[in-house]
Amino acid sequence: MSSAISLAALLANNPLAHGLRKLVGAGSQAPRAYRLINVELKQRIDLSPCLARLVFGGEDVAHVRTLAPDQRIKLLFPAADGCPPDLPREGDWHAARRKLPAAQQPPMRTYTIRALRAEPAELDVDFVLHGVSGPASRWATHAKVGDRLQMAVPNKAFSGDPGGYEWQPPAGIRKVLLIGDETALPAIAGILEDLMEYPVPPDVQAFIEVPHESDCLALRHNHQTRLSWLPRDVLGAAHGEALMHAARELAELPAPSRPPRRPKPREQADDLRPWDSATPSDNGFYAWIAGESGTVMKIRRHLIDERGLERRNLALMGYWRQGRSLE
Ligand SMILES: Cc1cc2nc3c(=O)[nH]c(=O)nc-3n(C[C@H](O)[C@H](O)[C@H](O)COP(=O)(O)OP(=O)(O)OC[C@H]3O[C@@H](n4cnc5c(N)ncnc54)[C@H](O)[C@@H]3O)c2cc1C
């Protein structure tokens, strides 16, 4: 059974809190790091039976900026009464949302900017269609051209760094490991494209787990990149199993920085949404890992406790949680 976790609880309990506060625009200074915009669905491109690219347009898209291929945004969906979100774009939209009766409160979920174009002003989001149990996937499944949403996005008028991204490999990075499930596919696809711009391409190994063989998309990447698709239907694997196998058996990892150790009790705790930013001290190795929270926690334990990797070289993000609804 799914249960909704309030944003306030998430902010209070989670290391992602600082970034989320920026995302929801808390505070009153203008221009803010993130702002609320109105968008309209311009085009729908079915990438595979489980993945749809929704192209959003509208005047407000001109106010968006993106700083990294995993730039996260908040999407606001029609409330239980069926009305499209209509929160005030100026002022504290988050407070305005909280004051609405439950049936009128637009549900909010986190997504990745897959692409942002200036002319015409368009923003692409790739949605995993996992069914109709959640407001985001349900909306994306039925969305038609002309349907309206609101989004909290990095504000072009804000001159500082708005945050909301984790892909920050050190300059001259030599070895990169990417691990993710279908929700991380949009970010990994963008990261692989980003890596094509590097003057000296690092050694890259990437593992992407997807529901079906038909979800293995033709991604652009350096020809040296070793990209492994892990389709669950072909492998007969449950969600996360193939990624865990890849982390254990297939990933070429640097030599351990210290002997393996037994996990401390805190690391065995059931984090709702694990979130570790990487803070590498050199350019030797950088890993970016995102997907279902339970899987990400298992991979974290394996890489750090059993393989002796430095925590600071790993960006680990729980993108969703089996059986829960997270904003
Ligand atoms: C930084 C970040 C970036 C993200 N980027 C993307 C993105 O670009 N594209 C994308 O599709 N998702 C992305 N996600 C994941 C997305 O936010 C979640 O999948 C979200 O839960 C979907 O909301 P929902 O309303 O469909 O389902 P919810 O109401 O949140 O959940 C309803 C039920 O569905 C389950 N569920 C949720 N997601 C999935 C899934 N993918 N597969 C199977 N079951 C699921 C839940 O466990 C729950 O039981 C991102 C998450 C984060 C934190």
Side-chain angles (χ1 to χ4, degrees):
M1 200 169 100
S2 64
S3 63
I5 305 297
S6 79
L7 182 64
L10 192 61
L11 289 176
N13 298 330
N14 200 282
L16 186 57
H18 177 65
L20 278 173
R21 281 198 193 91
K22 282 184 173 178
L23 290 179
V24 299
S28 57
Q29 287 181 345
R32 286 169 301 167
Y34 268 69
R35 61 172 288 167
L36 194 68
I37 62 166
N38 292 338
V39 294
E40 189 176 302
L41 184 60
K42 277 182 82 174
Q43 193 187 357
R44 178 193 181 96
I45 303 165
D46 291 316
L47 301 173
S48 75
C50 294
L51 293 165
R53 173 160 303 158
L54 301 194
V55 180
F56 294 95
E59 293 176 5
D60 283 3
V61 175
H63 298 300
V64 188
R65 70 195 274 231
T66 179
L67 287 94
D70 61 342
Q71 184 75 60
R72 52 187 181 265
I73 54 176
K74 293 286 179 185
L75 270 57
L76 292 129
F77 296 93
D81 64 4
C83 294
D86 190 22
L87 296 170
R89 280 175 295 163
E90 305 301 331
D92 189 347
W93 61 268
H94 180 54
R97 174 175 179 254
R98 266 201 316 265
K99 281 186 203 140
L100 289 170
Q104 292 167 26
Q105 268 184 28
M108 182 166 72
R109 296 290 182 271
T110 312
Y111 281 82
T112 305
I113 297 182
R114 177 64 183 94
L116 179 65
R117 290 175 293 279
E119 279 297 331
E122 290 176 343
L123 185 157
D124 298 349
V125 178
D126 289 357
F127 282 78
V128 175
L129 306 176
H130 65 85
V132 292
S133 61
S137 177
R138 183 169 56 240
W139 183 86
T141 300
H142 300 299
K144 300 180 306 297
V145 168
D147 286 352
R148 286 180 292 125
L149 284 188
Q150 290 187 302
M151 295 181 176
V153 293
N155 185 0
K156 207 175 190 174
F158 179 74
S159 56
D161 182 343
Y165 58 94
E166 302 300 331
W167 172 247
Q168 300 180 61
I173 183 66
R174 295 203 308 269
K175 190 174 177 67
V176 171
L177 173 66
L178 305 170
I179 298 182
D181 68 10
E182 59 269 35
T183 61
L185 169 53
I188 294 180
I191 288 171
L192 292 174
E193 288 168 9
D194 186 53
L195 285 162
M196 294 174 79
E197 311 292 322
Y198 284 34
V200 181
D203 172 41
V204 180
Q205 196 177 17
F207 298 98
I208 309 178
E209 187 187 293
V210 288
H212 305 295
E213 196 173 11
S214 52
D215 301 314
C216 303
L217 307 178
L219 303 185
R220 294 194 318 115
H221 55 79
N222 284 322
H223 68 273
Q224 310 96 315
T225 295
R226 286 162 301 147
L227 169 59
S228 303
W229 288 98
L230 306 169
R232 291 192 289 275
D233 62 343
V234 175
L235 298 169
H239 211 298
E241 265 180 12
L243 288 184
M244 195 55 214
H245 176 76
R248 278 189 190 285
E249 311 288 340
L250 308 174
E252 287 171 18
L253 302 173
S257 59
R258 50 166 177 69
R261 60 182 161 88
R262 290 167 68 85
K264 285 186 256 164
R266 195 188 72 76
E267 288 162 333
Q268 289 168 337
D270 194 25
D271 288 351
L272 197 55
R273 176 177 269 170
W275 203 274
D276 295 346
S277 299
T279 53
S281 57
D282 61 48
N283 66 353
F285 175 70
Y286 183 88
W288 186 101
I289 297 162
E292 196 280 322
S293 295
T295 302
V296 169
M297 282 192 294
K298 282 187 205 155
I299 294 175
R300 173 165 72 181
R301 275 200 288 274
H302 173 70
L303 295 181
I304 296 173
D305 297 327
E306 294 167 32
R307 304 290 285 274
L309 293 193
E310 289 281 356
R311 183 186 291 266
R312 63 174 177 236
N313 291 336
L314 315 174
L316 288 138
M317 287 86 43
Y319 267 21
W320 60 286
R321 177 90 195 178
Q322 190 80 55
R324 307 294 287 260
S325 292
L326 301 178
E327 292 194 323

